[in-house]
Amino acid sequence: MQTMKMLRITGRAWALVCLVALSACGGGGGSAPAPAPTPEPPPVEPSLSTQCQTGSVARLELPAGAQVGRNAELSLLGCAAGQVFSELRWTQVAGPTLRLMSARSQALTLEPSEPGSYRFEVSFQDAQGRVRSGQAEFNVAAAADTGLLLRGEPSAYSNGPLSVRAWAASLSQDERDTATVNWTVVDGPSTALQESTGWRVLLKAPVVSQDSLLRLRAQVSLTGGRQLSQDFRLLVQAPPRQAASDALFPASDPVSRVYPYLAGGPHAQALKDCIYTPSLDRNNTCTLGRLPLLGQETRGELPTVEQVMRRVLVSNDWMGEAFEAFLREQDSHGDFRRLLNASTAVVIGGRVRPAFYWGATGAIYLDAGYLWLTPEQRDTISETPDPRSDYGAQLRYSAPWRYVLNNAHADGVYPVAERRPRELSRLAYTLGPLLYHELTHAADLVPPRLHTQLSGSLRVWQAGPALTPAADLAQRLPFYSQEMVALGRVQFFGVTATAEQIAYGPEDVARFFSLDRVNDDYSYSMPIGETVSAEDPAMLVEEAMMQLRYGVLRDFAVTTPRPAGGTSTDLIVSWGQRGRIGEPAIRPRVALVLEQIMPWLDAGTTDRLAPPTPLRAGLSWGQNLDQAAIAANRPRVLTARERLIEAEQEQRRGIERARRAQAQALQGGGPRVRQ
């Protein structure tokens, strides 16, 4: 087994290239002459040290004892607290080609499939804007035995929620089911592990003041005494400077590390400063003069894909690639690009959960779980659930929903253990509803009719009209049920349920809801003191457009509560509908919203909405999936895999609905809820 061999600095002008890792700044034996009168610096000798030396800006941590078929992490660490690097780029220059999920983060997870010598170059800018670079070379040995492969995002800011999974492809399903798995912290900053006895471990990155390495170990015990073990090195970083007060993204709700997808794009610096950084507060959000809405740039016309991609931030390169492919191949009507006119930016992160629109910045923030196409991409996404999905646990009913196409789940579910890829066309059924929803919020705050009239001195949250489309809807065609509004505060904002609310049964809630004119209980999401629900128009647009553009119908039901560990077979439908958006009482509300949010649609678009179909009361939520079988009076019993699909659908619903409660109001007025 061979270990790491060498780290050396590339030959560049020494004034630009200080030692990246292992020795003091001052050398560089390149051919480019140093500008006079600076003398030629002495040559730098390669070093095996992994310690920062006096004057070093950064160091490299190389894989030690790397083997074929096992993960190996390669990291760039700052040598001092507060080090911030930008324009980072890894390039493989020797060895069998490795697939990188991102070549622009400070840490890489590598999966060598062949033995040999590997070499990478890394370049970056330090906090003073000076370009620096270095090389890392290491050897990979043939596999000594069948081992584990650990996968996860290899870097995180302090307090960032993340997950790591262990894989053992050579094991049979029976061996995996009977194995005992234990995770431990081998070295590095102290941190607590959650669910540390399964194939997946959950944790929060420990709080650090400078770049640090946390080494996790998974140990698997198999029947017969066989043992498997593998380590994973996580680079933990102190987040950039935190706002002194009124932070939009406080340490308790940490940002994901993101960067502009197009490094040299015209908005790259504004995206870094204005959209997703801990330094943002209510006093330094950017004006429309610095980062205008996309609609100001396009003058309200259909944006090109290129114009959209100039405004995208990602935490891994593949996220931008998938989003671009989606826009090119799945946005055939141009709805999403037109709706993006109301936004300043798109953030796609592996730890953005739940997805949201934030009127303070004018950006939408997307969970990368909606975009992955390969199992390897999925591995970089945190599986940590949002704890707010437990809101309303005391209530005696559930309100499940799903999108249905041809009496089956439209989006499908891909159990993580199956390691199956996902087709790009499937994203229309996962990412599509999310984009219609979140971008409706953007267009509600600053409607399309205003995009050519905005002053550059305004901030996004100051640019909207006094009467937004949501407020207009609430005035002209309001909903009525105050019981559902109160339950919404329990379900979506964590308000403690009253004894009366706890006593409500499914039949009570079905009566409150079915007699009103909303299409989903999330429409009642309003903080205490608010009189307008921004979620009401967003839910109307989401369901209507998924039916009109993709032929997908939405099921919504009121059922018995889900017992602990239960599945869809345990949810008995009290009342429900497929395609409730087509109700005669709801269609005028849809038409009113679409006229203002999506004015490019033809008049009478809502006339094409299909009338709703009732779900069968007394049958389970799972049995109600196949309405054709019910019509033939032979409701189908779900298979084990379909029950798994239902369970993962319900988990996703909890994540999607766990919206933020009350965010700090911006000075002078502004959004108080992340939508």
Side-chain angles (χ1 to χ4, degrees):
M1 183 185 304
Q2 293 177 300
T3 60
M4 55 187 177
K5 285 178 58 179
M6 175 171 56
L7 181 147
R8 66 176 182 270
I9 303 303
T10 58
R12 293 192 181 184
W14 81 278
L16 295 178
V17 186
C18 291
L19 280 186
V20 172
L22 309 178
S23 50
C25 193
S31 59
T38 307
E40 187 75 18
V44 177
E45 296 297 327
S47 170
L48 293 177
S49 171
T50 58
Q51 301 299 314
C52 290
Q53 309 274 337
T54 302
S56 297
V57 173
R59 69 180 181 87
L60 283 166
E61 181 77 14
L62 304 179
Q67 294 184 33
V68 169
R70 297 195 181 203
N71 57 286
E73 287 71 49
L74 175 60
S75 304
L76 175 75
L77 288 80
C79 285
Q83 290 278 15
V84 177
F85 303 142
S86 61
E87 308 304 326
L88 190 143
R89 173 73 66 177
W90 297 92
T91 305
Q92 185 178 355
V93 294
T97 302
L98 297 177
R99 178 171 47 190
L100 307 181
M101 291 295 102
S102 177
R104 291 191 284 165
S105 11
Q106 282 185 230
L108 302 175
T109 291
L110 310 173
E111 296 182 13
S113 58
E114 300 177 42
S117 177
Y118 292 77
R119 188 166 74 250
F120 283 82
E121 289 184 350
V122 61
S123 63
F124 63 96
Q125 289 183 13
D126 63 18
Q128 287 72 44
R130 292 173 294 195
V131 177
R132 301 177 182 270
S133 67
Q135 287 195 2
E137 187 173 346
F138 57 92
N139 284 342
V140 174
D145 55 18
T146 301
L148 286 176
L149 184 64
L150 306 189
R151 287 180 167 139
E153 178 69 8
S155 62
Y157 284 147
S158 294
N159 265 332
L162 59 140
S163 60
V164 181
R165 269 195 178 269
W167 304 97
S170 63
L171 299 182
S172 67
Q173 185 63 52
D174 184 62
E175 287 176 312
R176 284 193 289 268
D177 291 342
T178 57
T180 300
V181 185
N182 283 289
W183 295 82
T184 55
V185 175
V186 179
D187 55 41
S190 176
T191 187
L193 303 182
Q194 307 167 42
E195 300 184 14
S196 59
T197 58
W199 290 99
R200 176 194 71 180
V201 65
L202 303 178
L203 67 152
K204 275 195 171 184
V207 176
V208 298
S209 59
Q210 69 181 81
D211 292 352
S212 306
L213 284 174
L214 175 70
R215 184 153 61 106
L216 302 172
R217 178 170 295 164
Q219 294 179 298
V220 178
S221 301
L222 303 173
T223 303
R226 185 180 167 204
Q227 301 281 324
L228 303 176
S229 179
Q230 178 64 4
D231 289 358
F232 184 88
R233 289 170 175 82
L234 172 72
L235 171 61
V236 185
Q237 300 172 277
R241 180 182 62 85
Q242 183 74 50
S245 62
D246 297 319
L248 297 185
F249 302 102
S252 59
D253 186 16
V255 301
S256 291
R257 176 199 54 81
V258 295
Y259 50 83
Y261 178 60
L262 297 179
H267 304 295
Q269 191 58 52
L271 292 175
K272 294 177 188 177
D273 297 341
C274 304
I275 298 301
Y276 202 37
T277 170
S279 63
L280 278 178
D281 60 31
R282 63 184 181 181
N283 298 312
N284 65 5
T285 53
C286 295
T287 65
L288 294 174
R290 178 154 192 224
L291 184 59
L293 296 181
L294 178 58
Q296 293 175 265
E297 180 180 310
T298 65
R299 304 300 296 171
E301 298 299 321
L302 175 66
T304 65
V305 173
E306 289 76 14
Q307 286 174 312
V308 173
M309 298 309 298
R310 293 170 191 160
R311 294 165 174 270
V312 174
L313 295 127
V314 297
S315 59
N316 283 284
D317 295 340
W318 71 260
M319 299 171 187
E321 295 164 3
F323 188 63
E324 182 173 359
F326 173 82
L327 291 179
R328 293 192 185 281
E329 299 184 32
Q330 300 298 314
D331 188 24
S332 57
H333 298 281
D335 288 342
F336 302 126
R337 281 173 290 151
R338 289 186 187 275
L339 283 167
L340 280 163
N341 270 333
S343 69
T344 57
V346 179
V347 177
I348 309 171
R351 287 183 290 276
V352 176
R353 188 159 299 161
F356 60 95
Y357 166 74
W358 195 203
T361 62
I364 60 169
Y365 300 77
L366 304 179
D367 181 348
Y370 292 92
L371 286 113
W372 67 266
L373 297 173
T374 70
E376 291 77 18
Q377 292 173 353
R378 191 181 195 178
D379 292 335
T380 66
I381 303 168
S382 173
E383 297 181 52
T384 306
D386 191 308
R388 286 159 287 203
S389 58
D390 290 333
Y391 286 170
Q394 290 181 294
L395 300 178
R396 294 178 49 235
Y397 75 95
S398 292
W401 61 270
R402 62 194 167 204
Y403 279 103
V404 178
L405 185 64
N406 299 325
N407 289 301
H409 289 279
D411 53 355
V413 168
Y414 298 77
V416 66
E418 292 186 5
R419 308 292 295 162
R420 292 191 297 118
R422 182 163 65 178
E423 304 84 357
L424 180 65
S425 59
R426 285 285 185 179
L427 298 191
Y429 311 129
T430 56
L431 183 60
L434 182 69
L435 288 178
Y436 278 126
H437 188 106
E438 302 303 342
L439 291 173
T440 295
H441 289 311
D444 179 43
L445 184 63
V446 189
R449 68 179 185 272
L450 300 180
H451 294 173
T452 60
Q453 308 170 20
L454 299 174
S455 168
S457 64
L458 298 175
R459 291 176 167 84
V460 176
W461 53 271
Q462 297 170 323
L467 186 67
T468 63
D472 190 32
L473 177 68
Q475 285 188 16
R476 295 166 63 181
L477 295 171
F479 53 66
Y480 305 112
S481 177
Q482 293 307 303
E483 293 91 348
M484 292 304 301
V485 169
L487 286 170
R489 289 174 178 143
V490 175
Q491 291 269 47
F492 308 119
F493 295 97
V495 173
T496 302
T498 66
E500 182 181 16
Q501 289 171 329
I502 294 173
Y504 289 149
E507 63 285 350
D508 298 310
V509 178
R511 184 175 68 256
F512 301 150
F513 181 86
S514 63
L515 297 178
D516 210 343
R517 48 184 181 183
V518 301
N519 63 316
D520 190 87
D521 64 339
Y522 195 39
S523 301
Y524 297 104
S525 177
M526 289 195 300
I528 293 175
E530 296 290 322
T531 58
V532 174
S533 168
E535 301 301 339
D536 186 17
M539 289 309 309
L540 294 171
V541 171
E542 175 189 326
E543 180 176 350
M545 296 311 299
M546 286 304 296
Q547 183 182 141
L548 292 168
R549 293 306 200 202
Y550 298 101
V552 174
L553 299 174
R554 193 173 191 274
D555 283 359
F556 179 84
V558 180
T559 72
T560 53
R562 181 187 296 277
T567 68
S568 62
T569 59
D570 300 305
L571 300 178
I572 305 304
V573 172
S574 178
W575 172 92
Q577 286 180 309
R578 176 165 296 174
R580 178 169 169 80
I581 199 71
E583 276 282 1
I586 295 178
R587 286 191 190 193
R589 306 184 83 238
V590 181
L592 179 62
V593 173
L594 290 180
E595 180 183 2
Q596 300 181 63
I597 298 294
M598 302 176 69
W600 56 90
L601 298 177
D602 295 334
T605 293
T606 54
D607 295 340
R608 303 202 312 271
L609 291 170
T613 301
L615 301 184
R616 182 72 65 86
L619 296 182
S620 73
W621 174 245
Q623 288 174 313
N624 266 286
L625 176 62
D626 191 342
Q627 288 290 302
I630 292 175
N633 202 29
R634 45 181 179 80
R636 185 166 55 85
V637 177
L638 267 64
T639 65
R641 191 172 189 283
E642 287 172 324
R643 289 195 297 272
L644 176 62
I645 287 174
E646 291 284 1
E648 292 203 14
Q649 287 269 351
E650 182 66 12
Q651 182 183 40
R652 182 187 302 167
R653 177 187 185 274
I655 291 172
E656 288 176 346
R657 297 306 183 78
R659 305 294 183 180
R660 309 297 198 241
Q662 184 95 10
Q664 294 189 12
L666 297 178
Q667 186 176 15
R672 292 206 292 269
V673 180
R674 289 188 189 173
Q675 308 296 357

